[in-house]
Amino acid sequence: MHDTRTAPGWQVLLPPGWTTIPTEAEAARAASKRLIDQAFAGKPRDELVHARIELDTLLRRQAAQAAEAGARYVHALTRPIRGLPVSATLITVPLTIQDDTSLLDTLTDVLGASDGVEEVGETQVGQWFALRRVRRTRGRLDDQQQGPEFTSTHVEYVVALPDDEMLVMAFTTSTEPVRRELVVLFDAIASSLQPVPGADGTAEDTTSRP
């Protein structure tokens, strides 16, 4: 496990195999290339060109979607489990409460629609009150909505922080065989949220590497 700053002044514990990718386009491109080079090191480049392209497209799309939601980083499980790839991501977005209407609009922008909700309720994240929601959605991999359809599981937390601040944590997986196990993992990661020791909440968001 390693501490990762998930928003300015706040950190969570991430298991081995998780990587942080910046959401800014050029930084995401460079990070994607670095991860792919590491993943395919020692393997014939020409034989795996299609796999490299697909992984690069996926990583950069995840970064772009996270940027649209207001996140500066996307945390992704990039290490295969028992030799098989597993989809799991986390984005976090800090919010300032202005009024109920603007808060609802912002949460809708970050989390998306409320379709497919299976669970919703109050909980605690560390010492902070939070709302937790689990939902299931259907989608397609390509931007034209013409690729194969898949199901995603989302676990979303809205955490009430001091000084009228909130932190949204949104986990997603599309790996169906282990989705229940990943929900347990997501809840464990969320529960590890803590202030960065000595942080004042205004420092640049940086990430410790495994």
Side-chain angles (χ1 to χ4, degrees), residues 52-207:
R52 292 177 65 95
I53 291 173
E54 288 179 2
L55 181 56
D56 179 62
T57 300
L58 177 61
L59 290 174
R60 292 170 69 174
R61 180 180 293 120
Q62 289 174 337
Q65 291 172 343
E68 289 178 3
R72 297 167 64 185
Y73 295 90
V74 55
H75 310 284
L77 177 57
T78 56
R79 182 183 301 175
I81 296 179
R82 297 179 181 176
L84 298 175
V86 173
S87 162
T89 60
L90 161 65
I91 68 168
T92 61
V93 180
L95 303 176
T96 299
I97 302 173
Q98 296 177 343
D99 56 67
D100 292 344
T101 300
S102 63
L103 176 61
L104 181 59
D105 290 343
T106 303
L107 288 175
T108 301
D109 290 340
V110 173
L111 298 176
S114 59
D115 56 311
V117 174
E118 293 188 339
E119 301 176 36
V120 62
E122 300 176 357
T123 187
Q124 290 284 126
V125 172
Q127 59 181 305
W128 299 281
F129 172 82
L131 295 176
R132 175 183 179 273
R133 183 175 75 172
V134 179
R135 60 191 180 99
R136 303 261 287 158
T137 62
R138 302 284 290 177
R140 298 183 187 275
L141 286 175
D142 64 6
D143 295 331
Q144 289 73 39
Q145 296 295 303
Q146 295 178 349
E149 195 173 48
F150 64 95
T151 302
S152 294
T153 300
H154 309 265
V155 181
E156 299 154 343
Y157 284 83
V158 180
V159 186
L161 301 177
D163 301 322
D164 290 329
E165 299 289 329
M166 284 188 164
L167 188 68
V168 177
M169 295 188 287
F171 300 86
T172 304
T173 180
S174 57
T175 306
E176 283 293 290
V178 292
R179 70 177 183 89
R180 296 186 185 280
E181 290 82 357
L182 286 171
V183 168
V184 174
L185 174 62
F186 295 159
D187 287 336
I189 293 172
S191 71
S192 72
L193 180 71
Q194 291 292 333
V196 175
D200 61 4
T202 61
E204 178 69 16
D205 183 359
T206 58
T207 302

Side-chain angles (χ1 to χ4, degrees), residues 3-53:
D3 288 329
T4 297
R5 290 199 185 185
T6 193
W10 297 90
Q11 65 185 15
V12 294
L13 282 173
L14 289 179
W18 284 70
T19 302
T20 297
I21 302 170
T23 60
E24 190 276 325
E26 285 303 310
R29 181 193 61 78
S32 175
K33 182 180 184 302
R34 183 176 63 251
L35 288 171
I36 291 171
D37 287 344
Q38 293 173 354
F40 292 97
K43 300 176 182 178
R45 186 181 184 93
D46 292 342
E47 295 180 13
L48 297 170
V49 63
H50 293 298
R52 292 177 65 95
I53 291 173

